[in-house]
Amino acid sequence: NSKLVSDYKLFFAEMSVDAVSLLGEDLATSTVGIKKVTGGSVTDSMLIDGVAFKKTFSYAGFEQQPKSFDNPKILLLNLELELKAEKDNAEVRITDPDQYQSIVDAEWNIIYDKLNLIAGTGANVVLSRLAIGDLATQYFADRNIFSAGRVEGEDLERTRRATGGQVQTTVQGVSPDVLGTCGRFEEKQVGGERYNFFTQCPSTKTATILIRGGAQQFIDEADRSLNDSIQIVRRAMRNTK
Protein backbone atom coordinates (compact mmCIF):
# COMPACT_ATOMS: atom_id res chain seq x y z
CA ASN A 1 0.00 0.00 0.00
CA SER A 2 3.04 2.29 0.10
CA LYS A 3 2.89 5.16 -2.36
CA LEU A 4 6.67 5.20 -2.64
CA VAL A 5 6.94 1.61 -3.90
CA SER A 6 3.55 1.31 -5.62
CA ASP A 7 5.15 1.53 -9.07
CA TYR A 8 7.17 -1.59 -8.27
CA LYS A 9 4.49 -3.62 -6.48
CA LEU A 10 4.50 -6.47 -9.03
CA PHE A 11 8.30 -6.64 -8.92
CA PHE A 12 8.37 -6.92 -5.12
CA ALA A 13 5.26 -9.16 -4.95
CA GLU A 14 6.94 -11.82 -7.10
CA MET A 15 10.10 -11.50 -5.01
CA SER A 16 8.10 -12.04 -1.78
CA VAL A 17 6.41 -15.19 -3.11
CA ASP A 18 9.70 -16.62 -4.37
CA ALA A 19 11.42 -15.87 -1.05
CA VAL A 20 8.80 -17.66 1.06
CA SER A 21 8.83 -20.59 -1.38
CA LEU A 22 12.50 -21.17 -0.52
CA LEU A 23 11.83 -21.65 3.21
CA GLY A 24 11.43 -24.93 5.02
CA GLU A 25 8.15 -26.46 6.12
CA ASP A 26 8.00 -24.21 9.19
CA LEU A 27 7.99 -21.14 6.88
CA ALA A 28 9.98 -19.23 9.48
CA THR A 29 10.21 -15.68 8.20
CA SER A 30 13.23 -15.09 10.43
CA THR A 31 15.17 -17.05 7.83
CA VAL A 32 14.50 -14.39 5.18
CA GLY A 33 17.25 -11.80 5.46
CA ILE A 34 16.56 -8.33 4.09
CA LYS A 35 19.66 -6.23 3.47
CA LYS A 36 19.57 -2.58 2.44
CA VAL A 37 22.24 -1.27 0.07
CA THR A 38 22.08 2.38 -0.94
CA GLY A 39 22.73 3.15 -4.60
CA GLY A 40 21.70 1.74 -7.93
CA SER A 41 18.23 1.27 -9.35
CA VAL A 42 15.23 -0.26 -7.58
CA THR A 43 15.24 -3.00 -10.21
CA ASP A 44 18.79 -3.87 -9.14
CA SER A 45 17.18 -5.33 -6.01
CA MET A 46 17.62 -9.09 -6.02
CA LEU A 47 16.57 -12.31 -4.34
CA ILE A 48 19.40 -14.65 -3.39
CA ASP A 49 18.63 -18.33 -3.19
CA GLY A 50 20.76 -18.71 -0.09
CA VAL A 51 22.58 -16.26 2.17
CA ALA A 52 24.27 -12.90 1.68
CA PHE A 53 25.62 -10.60 4.35
CA LYS A 54 27.93 -7.60 4.47
CA LYS A 55 31.65 -8.20 4.86
CA THR A 56 32.59 -8.10 8.51
CA PHE A 57 35.47 -6.21 10.14
CA SER A 58 38.79 -7.72 9.05
CA TYR A 59 42.45 -7.47 9.99
CA ALA A 60 45.62 -7.19 7.93
CA GLY A 61 46.09 -10.33 5.86
CA PHE A 62 42.42 -10.60 4.90
CA GLU A 63 43.03 -9.33 1.36
CA GLN A 64 45.39 -12.26 0.79
CA GLN A 65 42.61 -14.74 1.47
CA PRO A 66 40.73 -16.33 -1.45
CA LYS A 67 37.38 -14.68 -2.21
CA SER A 68 35.56 -17.48 -4.05
CA PHE A 69 35.14 -21.26 -3.96
CA ASP A 70 33.10 -23.87 -5.76
CA ASN A 71 31.61 -26.51 -3.45
CA PRO A 72 33.47 -25.27 -0.35
CA LYS A 73 33.50 -26.98 3.02
CA ILE A 74 32.16 -24.46 5.55
CA LEU A 75 32.97 -24.48 9.28
CA LEU A 76 30.65 -22.44 11.52
CA LEU A 77 31.94 -21.43 14.95
CA ASN A 78 30.87 -19.63 18.08
CA LEU A 79 34.46 -19.36 19.21
CA GLU A 80 37.01 -16.58 19.61
CA LEU A 81 40.23 -16.96 17.64
CA GLU A 82 42.24 -14.06 18.95
CA LEU A 83 45.43 -13.70 20.93
CA LYS A 84 44.67 -11.11 23.59
CA ALA A 85 46.50 -9.54 26.48
CA GLU A 86 45.40 -10.59 29.93
CA LYS A 87 42.64 -8.56 31.58
CA ASP A 88 43.58 -6.03 34.24
CA ASN A 89 42.24 -8.26 36.98
CA ALA A 90 44.25 -11.30 35.91
CA GLU A 91 47.03 -12.32 38.26
CA VAL A 92 49.89 -14.68 37.59
CA ARG A 93 52.51 -15.30 40.27
CA ILE A 94 55.96 -16.43 39.24
CA THR A 95 59.13 -17.11 41.21
CA ASP A 96 61.51 -17.00 38.23
CA PRO A 97 61.53 -14.46 35.36
CA ASP A 98 61.94 -17.33 32.90
CA GLN A 99 58.49 -18.58 33.88
CA TYR A 100 56.91 -15.51 32.29
CA GLN A 101 58.12 -16.53 28.83
CA SER A 102 56.75 -20.02 29.35
CA ILE A 103 53.31 -18.50 30.07
CA VAL A 104 53.48 -16.38 26.89
CA ASP A 105 54.55 -19.43 24.87
CA ALA A 106 51.64 -21.41 26.28
CA GLU A 107 49.17 -18.75 25.13
CA TRP A 108 50.59 -18.87 21.61
CA ASN A 109 50.52 -22.67 21.60
CA ILE A 110 46.86 -22.71 22.60
CA ILE A 111 45.72 -20.57 19.68
CA TYR A 112 48.00 -22.36 17.20
CA ASP A 113 46.58 -25.70 18.36
CA LYS A 114 43.08 -24.38 17.61
CA LEU A 115 44.11 -23.08 14.18
CA ASN A 116 45.85 -26.33 13.27
CA LEU A 117 42.74 -28.30 14.22
CA ILE A 118 40.57 -26.02 12.05
CA ALA A 119 42.91 -26.39 9.06
CA GLY A 120 42.89 -30.14 9.60
CA THR A 121 39.12 -30.31 9.07
CA GLY A 122 39.60 -29.40 5.41
CA ALA A 123 37.33 -26.35 5.70
CA ASN A 124 37.70 -23.73 2.95
CA VAL A 125 35.49 -21.14 4.67
CA VAL A 126 35.50 -20.39 8.42
CA LEU A 127 32.80 -18.16 9.94
CA SER A 128 32.61 -17.25 13.62
CA ARG A 129 30.14 -15.36 15.77
CA LEU A 130 33.13 -14.08 17.77
CA ALA A 131 36.32 -12.31 16.76
CA ILE A 132 38.94 -13.77 14.43
CA GLY A 133 42.13 -11.82 15.16
CA ASP A 134 45.06 -10.76 13.01
CA LEU A 135 47.14 -13.85 13.81
CA ALA A 136 44.34 -16.22 12.77
CA THR A 137 43.51 -14.10 9.70
CA GLN A 138 47.07 -14.36 8.40
CA TYR A 139 47.24 -18.06 9.30
CA PHE A 140 44.14 -18.75 7.20
CA ALA A 141 45.43 -16.58 4.33
CA ASP A 142 48.64 -18.63 4.20
CA ARG A 143 46.53 -21.78 3.81
CA ASN A 144 44.04 -20.44 1.23
CA ILE A 145 41.16 -20.38 3.71
CA PHE A 146 38.55 -17.60 3.80
CA SER A 147 37.57 -16.41 7.27
CA ALA A 148 35.11 -13.92 8.74
CA GLY A 149 34.68 -13.11 12.42
CA ARG A 150 32.00 -11.19 14.31
CA VAL A 151 29.29 -12.54 11.99
CA GLU A 152 25.84 -11.46 13.19
CA GLY A 153 23.92 -14.23 14.96
CA GLU A 154 21.00 -14.08 12.51
CA ASP A 155 23.35 -14.31 9.52
CA LEU A 156 25.21 -17.26 11.05
CA GLU A 157 21.91 -19.05 11.73
CA ARG A 158 20.67 -18.48 8.21
CA THR A 159 24.01 -19.75 6.87
CA ARG A 160 23.57 -22.86 9.01
CA ARG A 161 20.13 -23.51 7.55
CA ALA A 162 21.32 -22.91 4.00
CA THR A 163 24.51 -24.95 4.07
CA GLY A 164 23.52 -27.75 6.46
CA GLY A 165 26.42 -27.06 8.80
CA GLN A 166 26.36 -27.18 12.59
CA VAL A 167 27.71 -24.35 14.76
CA GLN A 168 30.61 -25.52 16.91
CA THR A 169 31.71 -24.08 20.26
CA THR A 170 34.99 -26.02 20.22
CA VAL A 171 37.37 -27.22 17.53
CA GLN A 172 38.20 -30.43 19.37
CA GLY A 173 36.93 -33.52 17.58
CA VAL A 174 35.26 -31.72 14.67
CA SER A 175 33.94 -34.37 12.27
CA PRO A 176 33.21 -33.94 8.54
CA ASP A 177 29.45 -34.23 9.06
CA VAL A 178 29.27 -30.89 10.91
CA LEU A 179 30.70 -28.97 7.95
CA GLY A 180 28.27 -27.22 5.64
CA THR A 181 28.55 -26.74 1.90
CA CYS A 182 27.10 -24.80 -1.00
CA GLY A 183 27.58 -24.82 -4.74
CA ARG A 184 29.24 -21.40 -4.81
CA PHE A 185 30.78 -19.01 -2.31
CA GLU A 186 32.06 -15.59 -3.33
CA GLU A 187 32.68 -12.16 -1.94
CA LYS A 188 31.67 -9.42 -4.36
CA GLN A 189 30.84 -5.75 -4.57
CA VAL A 190 27.25 -4.56 -4.13
CA GLY A 191 27.01 -0.81 -4.42
CA GLY A 192 29.60 0.65 -2.07
CA GLU A 193 29.80 -2.48 0.10
CA ARG A 194 31.40 -5.92 -0.08
CA TYR A 195 29.05 -8.87 0.49
CA ASN A 196 29.61 -12.58 1.12
CA PHE A 197 27.33 -14.82 -0.96
CA PHE A 198 26.51 -18.48 -0.29
CA THR A 199 24.41 -19.78 -3.19
CA GLN A 200 23.41 -23.02 -4.93
CA CYS A 201 22.88 -24.65 -1.55
CA PRO A 202 21.65 -28.27 -1.85
CA SER A 203 19.14 -27.96 0.98
CA THR A 204 18.42 -24.24 1.12
CA LYS A 205 15.84 -23.22 3.72
CA THR A 206 16.60 -19.55 3.68
CA ALA A 207 16.65 -16.57 1.35
CA THR A 208 18.13 -13.09 1.24
CA ILE A 209 16.69 -9.99 -0.40
CA LEU A 210 19.03 -7.15 -1.29
CA ILE A 211 17.09 -3.89 -1.61
CA ARG A 212 18.69 -1.25 -3.83
CA GLY A 213 17.70 2.35 -4.43
CA GLY A 214 19.11 5.85 -4.54
CA ALA A 215 17.22 7.31 -1.58
CA GLN A 216 17.39 5.94 1.96
CA GLN A 217 13.74 6.86 2.54
CA PHE A 218 12.70 4.69 -0.40
CA ILE A 219 14.85 1.76 0.77
CA ASP A 220 13.41 1.94 4.29
CA GLU A 221 9.86 2.02 2.91
CA ALA A 222 10.59 -0.91 0.60
CA ASP A 223 11.94 -2.83 3.59
CA ARG A 224 8.71 -2.28 5.57
CA SER A 225 6.54 -3.16 2.56
CA LEU A 226 8.50 -6.35 1.87
CA ASN A 227 8.20 -7.47 5.49
CA ASP A 228 4.42 -6.98 5.33
CA SER A 229 4.21 -8.78 1.99
CA ILE A 230 6.26 -11.75 3.20
CA GLN A 231 4.00 -12.16 6.26
CA ILE A 232 0.90 -12.15 4.01
CA VAL A 233 2.39 -14.73 1.64
CA ARG A 234 3.45 -16.90 4.59
CA ARG A 235 -0.09 -16.89 6.05
CA ALA A 236 -1.58 -17.68 2.64
CA MET A 237 0.77 -20.64 2.12
CA ARG A 238 0.03 -22.02 5.59
CA ASN A 239 -3.71 -21.79 5.04
CA THR A 240 -3.53 -23.65 1.73
CA LYS A 241 -1.67 -26.63 3.19
Side-chain angles (χ1 to χ4, degrees), residues 83-220:
L83 188 66
K84 299 194 301 182
E86 289 293 345
K87 303 295 184 184
D88 291 339
N89 61 354
E91 180 179 340
V92 178
R93 296 186 180 185
I94 58 176
T95 56
D96 186 327
D98 292 338
Q99 291 178 327
Y100 177 76
Q101 186 59 46
S102 67
I103 294 170
V104 173
D105 291 342
E107 291 176 338
W108 282 78
N109 290 336
I110 288 171
I111 190 167
Y112 270 115
D113 285 346
K114 290 179 181 179
L115 297 176
N116 290 333
L117 286 170
I118 290 171
T121 66
N124 310 110
V125 176
V126 178
L127 305 179
S128 182
R129 178 73 179 84
L130 303 178
I132 294 179
D134 52 354
L135 174 68
T137 299
Q138 188 62 57
Y139 178 97
F140 291 136
D142 293 341
R143 289 156 181 79
N144 292 318
I145 297 172
F146 175 90
S147 66
R150 297 190 177 95
V151 177
E152 292 291 336
E154 290 181 357
D155 291 329
L156 195 68
E157 171 59 18
R158 292 190 305 108
T159 304
R160 181 193 69 78
R161 290 176 66 101
T163 64
Q166 299 177 29
V167 179
Q168 304 296 298
T169 56
T170 177
V171 293
Q172 299 288 339
V174 174
S175 56
D177 60 303
V178 305
L179 301 178
T181 190
C182 63
R184 178 72 177 167
F185 162 77
E186 59 185 326
E187 180 186 291
K188 57 185 180 181
Q189 196 78 18
V190 181
E193 305 284 357
R194 301 287 296 177
Y195 268 74
N196 299 322
F197 288 78
F198 298 82
T199 56
Q200 302 173 30
C201 303
S203 57
T204 291
K205 294 180 180 178
T206 185
T208 306
I209 296 173
L210 292 181
I211 304 175
R212 303 296 309 280
Q216 188 63 45
Q217 182 184 5
F218 176 88
I219 292 177
D220 291 340

